[in-house]
Amino acid sequence: MNLSLGVKVLVIVTCTLFSTNVATAAAWLSHTPGSPAGQAVMYGGSSFGGCFLLCLAVLKALKVL
């Protein structure tokens, strides 16, 4: 696909927002009342990175980026 730069930026922003939602849900689900919040933040951060890289890999495979 031959998309303009603005559309590509919009696709990357959409991937970022989707990954942020996944990371928030993962951190929220992993947090237990007795544990420190830092562990949940680390878990959410790693799930953000994994989800974002997966989104970019799929878009690269579909030749969107």
Side-chain angles (χ1 to χ4, degrees), residues 2 5 8 13 18-22 27 31 37 42 44 52-53 55-57 61-62 64:
N2 193 7
L5 180 63
K8 288 181 182 180
V13 168
F18 177 73
S19 298
T20 303
N21 288 338
V22 169
H31 181 65
M42 290 295 290
F52 188 68
L53 287 177
C55 286
L56 290 180
L62 293 174
V64 173

Side-chain angles (χ1 to χ4, degrees), residues 19-31 39-40 43-48:
S19 298
T20 303
N21 288 338
V22 169
T24 302
W28 185 57
L29 289 172
S30 72
H31 181 65
Q39 292 175 351
Y43 193 79
S46 62
S47 63
F48 172 82

